[in-house]
Amino acid sequence: VQLAARVGLSMPALQRYLDHKKLIRETIARDVGISVGHAKQVLISICYGVRRSTWSEAAIPELIGPDRARLLYAHPEWAGLVSEVRAVRDPIIRSMRQHKGRLYNPFGKSMLCGKGKARKIDQEFAFVVQGCEAWILNSIIEAYGSSLLMLAHDGWVASADIPIADQERVILEATGFAVKIEGSRL
C-alpha cells in the first residue's frame, strides 16, 4: 500500500485487508473450506506472484486442493486483491532504480531483469517486496542487534522487552515505512 502511494496509486482492497486481516482470513477460510492458516498463506502469496492454477502440483492447489483453489480464485476478496496488486506492480517496479538491465529493490540489492517475453514481472515485484522486508528487518538489526535472538523473514525474537512503539519508530525513521508490529511475549 505504501509503495503504491509513493507512485500516486491507492490500494483500497489491500488497505481493507490490512485493517481487517483476521475477519477477512476467517471469511475466506469459511467460504472456501480451508483453515485460517491456509487462508493467511494464500493471501500473502498474492504479493509474491502466485499463479491462479488448478494444476494439482501448483502452489495453491497443492496446499488446499484443486477444488478449493477454484473456490478461492472466484472469491471476491481474493479476486479484488489479485486485481489490485496486478494493477500497481508495474508502476511500482518502474519507480525503482534500474541500471544496465538490473532492478534495484529498496534495500539496494539488484537482480537481472528480462525483456519482452523473458520479463518476469511477478518475480520482479516479489523482489521489490522482499527488499522492503529486508530493509525493515535490517533497521531492527541495526537498532537492537545485541538483543536479538532469532530473525525470520518478517519478524524477530528479542531477549529484551523492547516497546513496540519504539520499534515502529525505528523502522519509520530508517525506511520511511509505517509498519504495525504485532508482538507477544514468549
Side-chain angles (χ1 to χ4, degrees), residues 96-97 103-111 127-128 131-132 134-135:
M96 297 290 123
R97 185 175 145 231
L103 169 67
Y104 290 79
N105 68 23
F107 192 49
K109 301 299 180 187
S110 72
M111 73 177 278
F127 179 71
V128 169
C132 295
W135 194 14

Side-chain angles (χ1 to χ4, degrees), residues 1-179:
V1 170
Q2 292 175 60
L3 284 172
R6 290 177 182 192
V7 295
L9 299 172
S10 66
M11 298 184 76
L14 187 55
Q15 186 61 60
R16 180 177 155 2
Y17 170 67
L18 294 173
D19 293 341
H20 306 284
K21 284 186 282 194
K22 184 177 184 218
L23 173 66
I24 291 172
R25 288 174 185 166
E26 289 171 349
T27 300
I28 288 175
R30 182 194 65 238
D31 294 351
V32 175
I34 59 177
S35 71
V36 173
H38 283 159
K40 177 182 178 182
Q41 284 181 269
V42 298
L43 285 161
I44 290 171
S45 72
I46 293 171
C47 285
Y48 294 98
V50 72
R51 302 266 181 215
R52 287 188 279 189
S53 173
T54 55
W55 178 49
S56 62
E57 293 182 30
I60 290 178
E62 186 175 55
L63 180 67
I64 63 174
D67 292 336
R68 287 192 172 92
R70 283 183 195 86
L71 290 172
L72 174 69
Y73 303 153
H75 197 281
E77 293 282 1
W78 167 270
L81 289 166
V82 169
S83 295
E84 204 169 75
V85 168
R86 286 185 175 171
V88 302
R89 64 187 179 180
D90 196 49
I92 289 170
I93 292 166
R94 283 195 318 265
S95 76
M96 297 290 123
R97 185 175 145 231
Q98 297 184 35
H99 182 69
K100 294 186 178 183
R102 299 192 76 78
L103 169 67
Y104 290 79
N105 68 23
F107 192 49
K109 301 299 180 187
S110 72
M111 73 177 278
L112 190 59
C113 296
K115 293 189 182 218
K117 290 187 178 192
R119 184 171 183 221
K120 296 194 169 37
I121 193 168
D122 293 333
Q123 289 177 353
E124 292 174 12
F125 189 67
F127 179 71
V128 169
V129 172
Q130 289 165 344
C132 295
E133 291 175 342
W135 194 14
I136 289 166
L137 188 56
N138 191 65
S139 69
I140 293 296
I141 293 168
E142 288 180 353
Y144 305 109
S146 63
S147 297
L148 299 178
L149 300 173
M150 183 177 78
L151 304 173
H153 73 93
D154 65 349
W156 50 90
V157 176
S159 60
D161 189 14
I162 306 165
I164 287 177
D166 291 352
Q167 295 174 68
E168 292 173 344
R169 181 187 43 73
V170 161
I171 293 167
L172 180 62
E173 289 173 0
T175 68
F177 291 114
V179 298

